[in-house]
Amino acid sequence: MATITVDVAVPDALRPVVDVAAVPAGLGDAGSAWLVLSGDGRLARWTPTTGEVRDVARYREERAASEHGGGVRLRLHVSRCGRWAAVVQDRGRYGAVVDLSTGATALKLDGGDYCCETVPFALAFAEHGGRPVVVHRTDWNRLDVTDLASGKVLTARDSPDGDREDAEHYLDYFHGALSLSPDGTRVHDGGWVWQPWGMPAVWSLTAWLRDNPYESEDGPSYAVYPEVSEWNWPAVWIDDGRIAVYDRD
């Protein structure tokens, strides 16, 4: 299969561009479309084949990225259904999920401030029972899943008291960039552990939401793979059961 690459200039009205993300194709779409985050906080849908630019929402960064700083970069994510987008602070603490059908903020995100400057903000859109959900960091060592239509947290559970490493379900692990397997049933987490090593982890999203709210800490499907030298390098799913993780050593 031949690959054709076409260079298309981003319209001046969208500059400076902070980040872009592909919008899933819908019925009647006139070609591929992109969601563009501009420097002024605009979220606009851009269709290169027609040149159409349509504002759909606005992101307002009202809080400091982190008490520790650390080179914060805004990152844009789009759900597979194309209705939801998230703007998050990689190497920072905060973010928001926006309903692109209304432009309203659907969920404010706070990933905690402990060592947040070391990792991308952990977030991934998924589906459960035919409903859109978002997986997101709520502390350095905790992830939760929120149903986007209702706002209900689907992974409600008690956290271990304090930092007792002998507490049940305690997880001494810094969550990093998340990605879903092609079939949407498994989560890959590019996190790290002291002192410091990248430790990619994988677990079943289905088991997490159906059977065990502690699946992302120590569930039967949770597996941490051999240490790698870095935790901010590329990783890609090859198929539903295999993932390739880059390691320069």
Side-chain angles (χ1 to χ4, degrees):
M1 180 181 295
T3 300
I4 300 175
T5 302
V6 179
D7 293 329
V8 181
V10 177
D12 290 339
L14 295 177
R15 299 174 185 268
V17 174
V18 176
D19 202 12
V20 298
V23 178
L27 221 59
D29 284 353
S32 61
W34 298 86
L35 190 66
V36 181
L37 173 64
S38 297
D40 59 0
R42 293 172 60 201
L43 283 167
R45 182 186 174 101
W46 169 45
T47 306
T49 53
T50 64
E52 179 188 14
V53 173
R54 178 166 55 87
D55 287 356
V56 291
R58 181 169 290 274
Y59 174 72
R60 294 178 176 85
E61 192 173 21
E62 299 173 350
R63 294 172 289 190
S66 168
E67 294 177 4
H68 305 295
V72 170
R73 180 193 189 280
L74 292 183
R75 177 79 64 181
L76 184 60
H77 299 263
V78 178
S79 66
R80 295 186 181 189
C81 67
R83 176 178 171 181
W84 311 91
V87 182
V88 296
Q89 298 170 339
D90 280 358
R91 299 182 181 270
R93 175 174 181 174
Y94 298 112
V97 176
V98 177
D99 185 343
L100 297 178
S101 68
T102 64
T105 298
L107 180 65
K108 292 185 177 181
L109 304 169
D110 184 345
D113 204 34
Y114 183 48
C115 291
C116 63
E117 69 277 5
T118 66
V119 286
F121 194 100
L123 182 137
F125 287 106
E127 292 186 358
H128 176 64
R131 296 172 64 87
V133 300
V134 61
V135 186
H136 55 101
R137 189 180 78 217
T138 51
D139 207 344
W140 66 276
N141 63 345
R142 180 184 172 109
L143 297 173
D144 279 296
V145 183
T146 300
D147 181 283
L148 288 168
S150 68
K152 180 182 178 181
V153 177
L154 303 179
T155 49
R157 62 201 187 279
D158 293 331
S159 291
D161 294 332
D163 291 326
R164 286 182 49 221
E165 295 189 15
D166 61 342
E168 186 179 15
H169 306 304
Y170 179 79
L171 183 66
D172 188 13
Y173 184 92
F174 292 82
H175 293 295
L178 305 179
S179 61
L180 272 290
S181 59
D183 65 0
T185 64
R186 292 181 176 87
V187 182
H188 170 264
D189 186 350
W192 66 275
V193 298
W194 290 108
Q195 177 64 7
W197 284 98
M199 295 286 282
V202 177
W203 65 94
S204 168
L205 178 69
T206 305
W208 191 18
L209 296 181
R210 185 186 61 193
D211 304 321
N212 178 22
Y214 292 99
E215 196 72 24
S216 61
E217 277 89 22
D218 55 10
S221 72
Y222 183 85
V224 179
Y225 290 90
E227 60 190 32
V228 295
S229 61
E230 300 287 346
W231 54 92
N232 288 327
W233 290 90
V236 61
W237 285 91
I238 299 172
D239 52 36
D240 294 328
R242 296 180 297 169
I243 189 167
V245 179
Y246 177 86
D247 185 16
R248 60 182 175 179
D249 284 356

